[in-house]
Amino acid sequence: MTAYSDLAAHFGRISALSNAVGILQWDSDVMMPKGAAETRAESMALLQVLRHGMVTDARIGDWLAKAESDGSLGAWEKANLREIRRVWTVETALPADLVEASSKAVSACEMRWRQARAESDFAGLLPYLAEVLNLQRQIGRAKGDKLGLSPYDALLNDYEPGGSSAKIDALFDDLADFLPGFTQEVVAVQARRPAQEPLAGPFATETQRALGLRLMAALGYDFERGRLDISTHPFCGGADNDVRITTRYDEADFTKALMGVLHETGHALYEQGRPQAHLNQPVGAARSMSIHESQSLLMEMQACRSRQFLAFATPLMRESFGGAGPAWENEAMWRRYTRVEPGFIRVDADEVTYPAHIILRYRLEKALIADAMPLAELPAAWNDGMKSLLGVTVPDDRRGCLQDIHWPSGGWGYFPTYSLGAMTAAQIFDAATRAEPGILPGIGKGDFAPLVGWLRANIHGKGSLLPTDALLTEATGRPLDAAVFKAHLRRRYVEEV
């Protein structure tokens, strides 16, 4: 056990360093003054280099070899060794100067993106984003050479271990064939409904925040280990046992921020439910980003856009905002939250058209990493893709290729996990409600304990004990099956109307 104990202690220290990076990153996105950007970038780069050095420590190979020959280790320890070897193998592909350069480039690009997005100024962001892309290509090639993968699949592997663009291509091509016709069918069904009255604002930010906090509590969020703030782009971040989420508010429309809060709460519940006994070890980490996104989309889309939830939440909305009349009835709110209408903004997209946003970003980032498209052509390619996939004309880059922070922040290979997560969410929620009949009635009363309890036992508390496919198969009885997602969409948007 000595070699394993040495490894566990070492990766515990790495976890502590990662927690510091997480809080500094949260601060950068939420409340850091602009004038501190350069100093913060230097600090973040140094911490990333220190972390990289610890993950690639020369002693790890020897520790692993000795620990892996120890027949007395249990299942969690063996799984931890598997995850340590995976992380160590990937990180040793990168020189420290590349890690430092990437961290600095990302910090600069993120800060410039905030201004560029506000001003719809892609040209102003271009040189910063070009540097991030150049470094991501280098990282992808280095990791790909070590792992025997293409540069894109090597980047994808950071977020979706074991995933591949070949598998994603097949899933996304199937969705791209299914969704246009299905969307037209849904739009035709909804067109036969009576016109819906708008919700009359304004809706004060503080009132929106108070309602969001109330619903976060209903879902089971632990405020002793987290907080809610405002950022340009909503996210879940922070550190172990300090799980922070953000949203953004629009006083003309409270419905978007509210669902954003519920989405990020789904992420936070996963983080707060990870196994405490292994929290600072790789085996205690979230399994993959498709599983992580499944937890946010399970809460936002599967649970919180259900009739049961809106029967519980709509009276709270009326109470919070003083709403009255037909627009504030339960059924009207359900129709509002299940309205299908192609639009420009991914985070505001409905459940049916959302995958098209992801398919577009996935195809574009693959082309950019492969150097098959000049970065300067991104706005035009984006706009053409939106027209082709969703039939909408993008009015400006702020609502086009500048809307997301992922590429400026170095998150290349992340986007496909959103739609993988949506399909996974449908499958997990279906399995949970079949296994635990009290889940839907509980949601209708604002009691999420049956659902969260099932997720704790079958997803959250497993950490990275199992590979993604094995985790999903153990929880639901089968590997990822897009048919479950399609059946969910047809049931909610065509059959139950």
Side-chain angles (χ1 to χ4, degrees):
M1 287 293 288
T2 301
Y4 181 82
S5 297
D6 289 341
L7 272 174
H10 187 73
F11 274 84
R13 290 189 290 272
I14 292 171
S15 176
L17 184 56
S18 296
N19 284 337
V21 170
I23 295 300
L24 284 175
Q25 184 63 60
W26 170 87
D27 179 76
S28 297
D29 293 335
V30 174
M31 58 191 303
M32 182 188 75
K34 291 182 180 179
E38 187 173 343
T39 302
R40 179 61 54 83
E42 291 288 338
S43 299
M44 291 288 284
L46 175 58
L47 290 173
Q48 294 288 12
V49 169
L50 290 174
R51 181 190 177 280
H52 175 71
M54 293 180 71
V55 175
T56 59
D57 190 303
R59 295 171 295 175
I60 291 175
D62 184 53
W63 284 336
L64 276 168
K66 291 178 180 177
E68 287 168 341
S69 66
D70 185 347
S72 68
L73 297 179
W76 280 94
E77 288 76 18
K78 290 177 181 177
N80 198 32
L81 292 178
R82 180 198 69 216
E83 290 303 299
I84 288 173
R85 181 169 287 282
R86 181 179 66 80
V87 172
W88 177 67
T89 300
V90 171
E91 287 289 325
T92 53
L94 303 179
D97 59 348
L98 184 54
V99 173
E100 181 179 15
S102 178
S103 179
K104 289 181 177 179
V106 161
S107 293
C109 194
E110 282 187 350
M111 292 303 296
R112 188 63 182 84
W113 168 78
R114 290 177 177 82
Q115 179 182 348
R117 179 181 177 274
E119 298 172 356
S120 195
D121 178 21
F122 181 78
L125 182 67
L126 182 57
Y128 297 86
L129 189 58
E131 179 64 9
V132 170
L133 174 57
N134 172 51
L135 291 165
Q136 285 293 305
R137 286 171 177 159
Q138 293 181 47
I139 290 169
R141 287 195 294 268
K143 289 182 177 179
D145 289 344
K146 188 71 174 283
L147 299 173
L149 300 173
S150 70
Y152 184 82
D153 278 4
L155 295 173
L156 172 69
N157 186 69
D158 287 344
Y159 306 104
E160 195 62 23
S164 72
S165 54
K167 293 179 182 177
I168 294 171
D169 286 342
L171 286 166
F172 284 10
D173 288 348
D174 178 56
L175 279 180
D177 288 341
F178 165 76
L179 288 172
F182 180 72
T183 302
Q184 291 178 5
E185 182 180 358
V186 173
V187 169
V189 168
Q190 295 187 348
R192 296 194 288 270
R193 296 173 177 171
Q196 207 166 23
E197 292 185 23
L199 296 172
F203 306 101
T205 293
E206 279 307 309
T207 307
Q208 293 189 52
R209 173 180 166 79
L211 177 60
L213 292 170
R214 190 171 179 180
L215 292 177
M216 287 169 66
L219 267 62
Y221 183 88
D222 181 358
F223 289 96
E224 293 293 314
R225 296 188 292 147
R227 53 183 290 133
L228 171 65
D229 291 280
I230 298 173
S231 66
T232 303
H233 193 98
F235 71 94
C236 173
D240 295 342
N241 287 324
D242 186 359
V243 184
R244 308 180 181 196
I245 71 170
T246 69
T247 192
R248 60 190 182 204
Y249 298 102
D250 177 357
E251 294 203 338
D253 181 2
F254 74 86
T255 63
K256 296 176 182 177
L258 187 57
M259 280 297 164
V261 166
L262 297 172
H263 177 100
E264 300 304 335
T265 300
H267 280 305
L269 290 171
Y270 188 10
E271 287 296 311
Q272 292 182 339
R274 287 164 44 214
Q276 286 288 323
H278 307 281
L279 201 60
N280 67 349
Q281 296 295 310
V283 74
R287 175 57 257 172
S288 67
M289 285 315 304
S290 69
I291 298 296
H292 226 311
E293 293 300 341
S294 80
Q295 298 309 287
S296 58
L297 291 168
L298 185 150
M299 285 299 173
E300 179 199 354
M301 294 295 186
Q302 299 289 323
C304 295
R305 292 179 194 257
S306 67
R307 276 196 165 92
Q308 289 87 351
F309 176 76
L310 289 166
F312 157 71
T314 299
L316 302 183
M317 299 178 198
R318 287 197 297 267
E319 174 190 324
S320 295
F321 300 110
W328 292 88
E329 295 300 320
N330 296 357
E331 181 69 10
M333 199 64 71
W334 181 81
R335 291 179 184 271
R336 180 171 289 105
Y337 271 121
T338 56
R339 178 74 178 170
V340 173
E341 185 175 11
F344 312 119
I345 307 301
R346 175 186 63 84
V347 298
D348 296 335
D350 59 78
E351 195 175 17
V352 175
T353 62
Y354 187 95
H357 290 264
I358 300 307
I359 291 168
L360 170 64
R361 288 156 174 78
Y362 168 67
R363 290 173 175 173
L364 290 174
E365 71 177 12
K366 274 207 309 178
L368 288 167
I369 291 295
D371 204 8
M373 182 183 82
L375 184 59
E377 295 180 6
L378 177 61
W382 180 288
N383 296 348
D384 289 345
M386 290 292 287
K387 185 69 174 178
S388 173
L389 287 167
L390 285 162
V392 298
T393 301
V394 177
D396 51 50
D397 290 341
R398 180 177 67 84
R399 286 170 285 186
C401 65
L402 292 177
Q403 66 182 266
D404 295 307
I405 197 173
H406 301 63
W407 291 334
S409 69
W412 297 75
Y414 188 115
F415 274 123
T417 67
Y418 283 116
S419 281
L420 295 175
M423 290 184 276
T424 302
Q427 191 162 319
I428 291 175
F429 193 69
D430 177 71
T433 53
R434 290 177 187 274
E436 178 48 72
I439 286 176
L440 287 173
I443 289 172
K445 296 180 293 185
D447 178 9
F448 277 73
L451 174 58
V452 174
W454 190 94
L455 293 173
R456 290 278 194 262
N458 292 278
I459 305 294
H460 303 173
K462 296 293 182 68
S464 286
L465 177 64
L466 301 172
T468 303
D469 286 348
L471 176 68
L472 188 59
T473 299
E474 187 174 284
T476 71
R478 54 179 150 178
L480 184 60
D481 185 353
V484 181
F485 180 59
K486 292 180 185 178
H488 158 70
L489 293 180
R490 181 160 294 281
R491 186 167 54 250
R492 172 173 284 177
Y493 294 95
V494 175
E495 295 173 2
E496 292 183 355
V497 297

